[in-house]
Amino acid sequence: QVQLQESGPGLVKPSGTLSLTCAVSGGSLSTTDWWTWVRQPPGKGLEWVGEIYHAGNTNYNPSLRSRVSISVDKSKNQFSLQLTSVTAADTALYFCASGQLAQLHSWGQGTLVTVSS
Amino acid sequence: DIQMTQSPSSVSASVGDRIIITCRASQDVRTWLAWYQQKPGKAPKLLIYAASSLQSGIPSRFSGSGSGTDFTLTINSLQPEDFATYYCQQANSFPHTFGQGTRLDIK
């Protein structure tokens, strides 16, 4: 199975843009898997953010749809998350993951993003 | 959105016990359901997919069943490493919602 590693700023100012990257190693993005972002506010449960297929097809959580964008860079074997107009409610541990329907078999270790001035 | 409701929200058990966690969907999700185990500060780990298929490398004491709206995760003969939080997730329709989690503690 592939290995995933999130990276990006750990602190974002309110109203700013959260940008994270997930590097994929040990395999290619161009598989039948969907490349997914999941987040977890401190002390709370998991929230599905969205997913992308290597061809560029995306699905987003409607609660975030106007602010979220997921993209893929096959040349770098990575995919990225952008979340605009962030507030304190977006403070969370952000995980990237891969898999198919109800089968997220590979996960990154997670990266904590805090929204604060 | 499909709401996923797990019960109980928390449970205490002893090593060697059998526990059952239930997950109820607010709409039919067929068998597009997974179970994950999460330990503090760690990523979730896939245990069961397609409601009842055991992920490779997961011990056979874990099993899943159900279809439609009602699902169960059973853990037989609890081991010390099983004390964690468990989540169900549906993938029948977007967004792919998770249950609120069930925390399994040592009694």
Side-chain angles (χ1 to χ4, degrees), chain A residues 4-6 21-23 36-38 79 94-98 106-108:
Chain A
L4 306 176
Q5 178 67 59
E6 305 90 348
T21 295
C22 182
T36 302
W37 289 96
V38 173
F79 63 105
Y94 284 78
F95 296 100
C96 58
S98 68
S106 299
W107 292 70

Side-chain angles (χ1 to χ4, degrees), chain B residues 60-80:
Chain B
S60 59
R61 63 180 180 273
F62 291 91
S63 64
S65 66
S67 66
T69 60
D70 293 308
F71 301 87
T72 61
L73 171 69
T74 300
I75 313 174
N76 289 302
S77 187
L78 278 169
Q79 298 300 299

